[in-house]
Amino acid sequence: MPKFIVGARLHDYGKGTPDELFARVSADGFAAVQLAYKKCVPTVKSYADITEALVNDTIAAEKAHNIQVAVLGTYVELAINDTRRLQNVADFKSQLAVCKALGAGCIGTETTKMCDQPAGTTREEAQELLCRSLAEILPVAEELGVTVGVEPVTYHSMNSAAATRHILDTMRSPNLKVIFDLSNLVDADNVNSQDRIWNDIGELVGDKIVAVHFKGQAFNPDGSLLHTSLEDSLTDYTGAFAMLRQLPQEVLPVLREEAVPARAASDIAFMRRFF
């Protein structure tokens, strides 16, 4: 059974220097973070603004506050079916060395909402574009010894355990792993059959999971997403962790998304119930 390490998404703690933000999450009892510089450090407007000095400040903050960067969030659209994709690939590649310097567990991204694609783009086409992007990224990641984490989401190009397995099999890279959000494969149509989701994830990609996201969600009468507290969520955490506890990984960070700092203590207690 993995050792689960509880963490938080750093930009849920507002904006500031790495030292300020790491101090806040550490004081609240978290031991790991997902760091997306553009979302939490005011001086970072583009990936070019992530300087060596900023990376060194982040490393110092990691050590000072005993915080692990579990995921370096570099959220660009690697499956978008337009001319932006190549620049997105270049931006992502520019952060691989940052991931290595930080000692981060992985550099992560989602895989593009289908509603953001140009009209007529099929999911199969989007997955092919994702693979093209990864084909440029993964050789550099392998050379640096960096893990790339892709995150399936039910309404994105990589939308299921089977689709994720397809991407993994197509790329055949030991450096390509999976970020598993407990809620992102649950929607209004399958909310009552979550056992099947956990079984598919465990069987098809379980040993490739490098980080876990933990948040609350329910659904409006029209099926649209409703963000909730953890206590009010319809996500079957018990079933998901029954699967996760069977995995061979030695350690798995479990990162609270949409964290409310004032609720940190109760959220951490809630999350640990399933470890």
Side-chain angles (χ1 to χ4, degrees), residues 70-213:
V71 179
L72 176 65
T74 306
Y75 286 92
V76 295
E77 305 299 350
L78 296 180
I80 196 73
N81 189 16
D82 64 28
T83 56
R84 290 175 292 167
R85 185 180 66 84
L86 293 180
Q87 182 58 54
N88 293 341
V89 170
D91 286 341
F92 195 93
K93 287 170 66 176
S94 76
Q95 298 308 294
L96 294 171
V98 174
C99 181
K100 182 177 178 65
L102 294 175
C106 71
I107 176 171
T109 186
E110 293 177 346
T111 66
T112 306
K113 299 175 184 177
M114 290 305 298
C115 65
D116 289 344
Q117 296 282 13
T121 302
T122 67
R123 182 165 271 116
E124 290 73 18
E125 289 169 336
Q127 290 177 6
E128 181 182 351
L129 290 168
L130 173 62
C131 288
R132 287 187 196 176
S133 297
L134 290 172
E136 296 188 45
I137 290 166
L138 287 169
V140 183
E142 291 169 8
E143 183 178 347
L144 291 173
V146 167
T147 296
V148 174
V150 286
E151 182 179 346
V153 184
T154 186
Y155 50 89
H156 285 209
S157 63
M158 197 177 75
N159 66 320
S160 66
T164 306
R165 183 71 256 173
H166 168 68
I167 300 299
L168 293 171
D169 289 344
T170 300
M171 303 316 303
R172 297 178 181 271
S173 172
N175 292 62
L176 183 62
K177 300 293 178 67
V178 176
I179 298 171
F180 173 44
D181 188 305
L182 303 181
S183 297
N184 276 354
L185 293 177
V186 179
D187 59 29
D189 293 329
N190 65 20
V191 66
N192 294 318
S193 56
Q194 294 182 54
D195 285 351
R196 176 182 55 79
I197 300 173
W198 315 140
N199 181 71
D200 289 349
I201 286 288
E203 287 192 359
L204 296 176
V205 302
D207 62 344
K208 300 297 184 183
I209 294 173
V210 71
V212 177
H213 287 166

